[in-house]
Amino acid sequence: MSETTLSRRWLTCLGLMTGTASWAVAMQLGLLVPYPQCGSHLPIAAIVAFVLLLVTLAGGIVSWRSPWPTNAGAFAARLCALISLVFAFALLLQTMAGLMLTGCER
């Protein structure tokens, strides 16, 4: 397997990998961030979710634009990019929730 083919495969799956990893990190930080957010008046949860949203969208764009000479590779790249959009939507909802909730609700 050539190095070019290996890098194409990584670029193809980058949208899927960044989407799932960003969502998992956002879910775990969503459990930890409300405690320091209650003490400060910054929307820390919204900022973290927004940064992870940008990472997910960047991974989806790289995945969408990855070059493939065959139809199967192009399909996999497009599918991974669309899956990253699903995770980006979930992160967008978490960002909006972080803007609405203060972290002091109990």
Side-chain angles (χ1 to χ4, degrees), residues 3-106:
E3 206 167 302
T4 312
T5 306
L6 187 61
S7 67
R8 281 186 188 160
R9 287 185 181 171
W10 280 105
L11 290 177
T12 298
C13 297
L14 192 64
L16 180 64
M17 291 185 294
T18 59
T20 54
S22 296
W23 183 68
V25 168
M27 290 298 291
Q28 291 301 313
L29 287 178
L31 297 173
L32 300 174
V33 168
Y35 298 109
Q37 183 175 340
C38 183
S40 72
H41 296 290
L42 289 174
I44 300 171
I47 294 169
V48 168
F50 184 72
V51 169
L52 291 171
L53 171 68
L54 293 179
V55 169
T56 301
L57 290 176
I61 289 171
V62 169
S63 195
W64 184 269
R65 297 185 60 124
S66 67
W68 271 91
T70 63
N71 288 336
F75 173 76
R78 303 301 187 261
L79 183 64
C80 288
L82 291 174
I83 290 172
S84 75
L85 284 178
V86 171
F87 285 109
F89 180 69
L91 287 168
L92 177 68
L93 294 176
Q94 286 181 340
T95 302
M96 292 188 311
L99 289 172
M100 291 181 211
L101 301 173
T102 64
C104 299
E105 294 88 6
R106 292 198 181 187

